[in-house]
Amino acid sequence: MAEESAGPGLPHLARLEAVNARDVWPHEAHDFTPWLLANPEALGDALGMDLELSAAEHPVGTFALDLIGVDRATGEMVIIENQLAPTDHVHLGQLLTYAGGTDAVNVIWIATRFREEHRAALDWLNTRTDESTRFFGVEVGVVRIGSSPPAPLMRLVAQPNDWGKSVKAKTQAEGGSSKGQAYQKFWMQMLAELSGRQLNWTRSRKGLMQNWLAMPSGTTGITFNCSFGRSGLCSEIFFESPDPAVNDARLAAAQAKRESIERTYGGPLTFDPLIGKKGCRIADHRAGQIGLTENWQEYVEWFIACQIRLRMAMSDVFGLLPGTER
């Protein structure tokens, strides 16, 4: 093991050594992309996002996007194009094609090294597009200390102007909110309950300071959500494709089987087209509020029971969805 020299009485410190990324992930599509899909926090920590990646090789026309997901803190779509090599023009073109085909908010390019002209291209895009479109460049590497297992190293090399300040300000604002802290504690309680019951609806193990918990369905553009609102608790399936026609078609398909869906669910559901908004939903509601901490376990039980029944009911329309087998 390589060590830094030290004088008498000084600690001996091991040296951080670089590892060839290809030695860890020999094949990009078969090794790195699945690894990132299973370990989104490695990238999320570098970006200041709470990433939930839902699918690999997502179709965009006749092409296939490496990864698609969402920043759970904001609900914004995230797309990722990666390459275990220095950046090149081909991947830049693919990145822009996928951005246009998905209408993503956060567009992320991962490579082992960013050529200066490609980093400059992302900077140019960030200055020329509006605030609802953001481009990020992330260099990925691998390191180890002595004989330790290799560890990923993500470094942000391109980002929108003031992105770091924006993340810091949001974190500080959330930290000062007592209601935000209550939401965080509640979702931690619910996530622990899901884990204890082996309901693998989400990879997240960290409650966030927000009034909703989003869980992927396994189908792009469809999520299962639990939330607190002005009228109480809401358990829902939410259709959020960037193409409104897709959302309308999915809601219509469910409407056509409404009687069967509600029979399987065991009660009435609200079919809400959310006119003028970005998506539509099918939901159940009950009274409740986050401040009634003595009712939290009751709320958790209600959310879980509703989600199990909702997933079973929706499988009749959209196929087997995560958790419906339990």
Side-chain angles (χ1 to χ4, degrees):
M1 170 169 43
E3 291 185 343
E4 295 288 357
S5 60
L10 297 178
H12 290 272
L13 301 178
R15 185 175 300 164
L16 196 67
E17 299 176 346
V19 177
N20 190 324
R22 287 287 184 180
D23 291 341
V24 178
W25 304 294
H27 304 289
E28 183 179 302
H30 297 100
D31 297 311
F32 182 68
T33 299
W35 177 85
L36 193 55
L37 179 64
N39 297 275
E41 66 281 353
L43 177 60
D45 288 347
L47 293 166
M49 298 180 185
D50 185 44
L51 286 184
E52 183 90 50
L53 300 180
S54 56
E57 300 301 315
H58 173 70
V60 180
T62 58
F63 300 97
L65 169 66
D66 285 334
L67 289 161
I68 190 168
V70 66
D71 178 2
R72 293 180 60 247
T74 62
E76 296 168 342
M77 182 186 294
V78 176
I79 65 170
I80 301 169
E81 178 68 4
N82 58 59
Q83 58 180 130
L84 289 181
T87 55
D88 56 44
H89 289 353
V90 171
H91 282 82
L92 175 58
Q94 290 173 342
L95 188 77
L96 296 177
T97 298
Y98 299 147
T102 59
D103 194 27
V105 173
N106 300 297
V107 183
I108 301 163
W109 188 4
I110 301 176
T112 55
R113 182 173 64 84
F114 267 76
R115 302 182 194 277
E116 179 57 28
E117 58 267 35
H118 295 138
R119 186 199 59 74
L122 295 185
D123 289 342
W124 182 85
L125 287 165
N126 278 322
T127 61
R128 294 300 189 276
T129 53
D130 60 31
E131 293 181 357
S132 63
T133 307
R134 312 183 192 104
F135 291 85
F136 299 86
V138 179
E139 286 188 344
V140 59
V142 180
V143 295
R144 66 157 47 100
I145 298 176
S147 59
S148 70
L153 184 64
M154 303 275 188
R155 187 170 70 92
L156 195 58
V157 298
Q159 61 186 309
N161 291 337
D162 292 333
W163 173 252
K165 292 180 181 178
S166 172
V167 171
K168 183 177 180 180
K170 181 177 182 298
T171 301
Q172 290 175 339
E174 288 178 341
S177 167
S178 59
K179 181 172 281 190
Q181 291 171 353
Y183 285 134
Q184 183 178 50
K185 290 179 181 178
F186 178 84
W187 298 127
M188 287 294 290
Q189 182 174 327
M190 181 161 168
L191 290 169
E193 199 72 38
L194 293 178
S195 178
R197 300 187 192 190
Q198 296 184 315
L199 291 169
N200 300 316
W201 295 344
T202 174
R203 293 190 182 94
S204 178
R205 294 295 178 265
K206 181 178 69 174
L208 297 180
M209 295 183 185
Q210 59 192 28
N211 69 321
W212 77 93
L213 174 67
M215 297 167 283
S217 69
T219 299
T220 301
I222 301 178
T223 59
F224 288 104
N225 302 323
C226 297
S227 64
F228 289 84
R230 292 182 179 177
S231 58
L233 280 60
C234 175
S235 168
E236 68 180 16
I237 182 172
F238 192 70
F239 307 114
E240 55 181 358
S241 170
D243 184 349
V246 172
N247 297 325
D248 292 343
R250 285 170 169 167
L251 186 64
Q255 284 273 21
K257 295 187 175 183
R258 182 167 187 166
E259 183 177 345
S260 173
I261 288 171
E262 293 185 330
R263 183 168 56 248
T264 300
Y265 183 74
L269 291 163
T270 300
F271 287 66
D272 192 346
L274 296 174
I275 303 297
K277 297 190 176 181
K278 292 184 177 181
C280 48
R281 66 164 60 100
I282 300 171
D284 196 359
H285 304 267
R286 62 154 286 173
Q289 53 184 291
I290 192 64
L292 299 176
T293 56
E294 66 275 15
N295 295 338
W296 279 9
Q297 187 58 37
E298 178 187 336
Y299 296 164
V300 168
E301 296 291 343
W302 184 83
F303 275 134
I304 292 177
C306 288
Q307 282 289 308
I308 289 174
R309 291 156 50 210
L310 185 62
R311 289 159 188 259
M312 292 181 65
M314 289 301 108
S315 69
D316 293 340
V317 183
F318 302 108
L320 185 65
L321 299 165
T324 56
E325 71 276 11
R326 298 191 180 278

